Amino acid sequence: MYDALRDLHNSLNRVSEITVEIDAQAPQALSDHRVAERLETVRCSLVVILTGYFESFLRQTAQSFITSVNSRGIPYSTLPESLRVKNLEEGGRALMQRVREERGGRTTWLTASSNDIASRLGSINSSTSCDLVWEGFAQTRANPDFQVVKEFLSNLSVADPANKLAAATGISHQLMQTTLESLLRMRNESAHSGQPSIVPTPSNLRDFCDFLEKVAGGLVQILSDHLMDVAFMPQRMRL
């Protein structure tokens, strides 16, 4: 999970560096509309890229968490019920999606074969260990708003995710919700409109970078603590 956090940090730093370069070109943009239009296009592109970076972080984090659980040799029947339910529910959806993709010759972020996913779903019958389907816990609905972030944690059996995230980040529920809504609104206008009514400023983009890094750090802290729960303790350590 810390690898995913590091990757996100590096990606966000690149965006912040670009915004500094945009600021440096502001005097030229005032006197040349072509420069101004080009920089506006760059800013719109960056807000779309930011949400992609955050989605990638969530998927990497889900994979890391589930891989850690799988490596501990924990019988499926002793895992938290909410985790078992989501493994079957969302893992089943991932399997159906992959079957459709294979039939159509398409590939998305799901790279495992349908046979591989089916095999992992079948591992729940093992009495000694299991191989949870991490892809089932990595769904972001393409637009990870506050509700998606809360569900991301609750799907991994974290109780009271909103309050835990607020405590870990120092950001209130309301501010997290409104900031993610603002980010996604700008993202969708930039991605789907030829002339977005809201163009993010370099300052907006840097604020979004800082915000996403704080939220990501809080998520990793919560999940790292969660892995210390007795429910995820290897069997040999419970004796």
Side-chain angles (χ1 to χ4, degrees), residues 156-178:
L156 294 170
S157 73
V158 174
D160 197 16
N163 284 329
K164 286 183 179 175
L165 193 55
T169 61
I171 305 173
S172 69
H173 303 170
Q174 186 61 38
L175 183 56
M176 273 190 277
Q177 181 171 335
T178 56

Side-chain angles (χ1 to χ4, degrees), residues 6-26:
R6 185 196 61 241
D7 289 346
L8 179 65
H9 171 79
N10 292 337
S11 297
L12 295 177
N13 271 355
R14 287 195 296 272
V15 171
S16 293
E17 288 169 1
I18 293 172
T19 66
V20 172
E21 294 174 4
I22 293 173
D23 278 336
Q25 296 180 64

Side-chain angles (χ1 to χ4, degrees), residues 14-132:
R14 287 195 296 272
V15 171
S16 293
E17 288 169 1
I18 293 172
T19 66
V20 172
E21 294 174 4
I22 293 173
D23 278 336
Q25 296 180 64
Q28 186 179 358
L30 289 173
S31 60
D32 189 333
H33 72 90
R34 291 170 300 179
V35 174
E37 290 170 354
R38 185 168 65 249
L39 295 180
E40 181 177 297
T41 300
V42 172
R43 280 149 45 204
C44 289
S45 300
L46 289 176
V47 79
V48 176
I49 289 170
L50 281 179
T51 58
Y53 286 156
F54 189 52
E55 283 188 79
S56 179
F57 161 78
L58 291 176
R59 288 181 181 137
Q60 283 183 267
T61 300
Q63 182 177 17
S64 179
F65 181 91
I66 295 300
T67 299
S68 180
V69 172
N70 288 342
S71 71
R72 300 184 178 196
I74 304 170
Y76 187 76
S77 60
T78 67
L79 289 170
E81 182 181 4
S82 59
L83 197 72
R84 287 183 277 129
V85 168
K86 285 301 173 183
N87 181 64
L88 292 177
E89 184 177 64
E90 299 299 334
R93 285 198 180 99
L95 174 59
M96 289 189 292
Q97 178 182 337
R98 195 67 189 104
V99 168
R100 288 193 296 269
E101 290 173 356
E102 289 173 344
R103 188 179 299 142
R106 296 182 296 112
T107 301
T108 58
W109 66 272
L110 283 172
T111 58
S113 69
S114 57
N115 284 339
D116 178 45
I117 296 174
S119 175
R120 282 182 278 153
L121 282 171
S123 72
I124 66 173
N125 295 313
S126 171
S127 61
T128 57
S129 64
C130 61
D131 196 3
L132 300 176

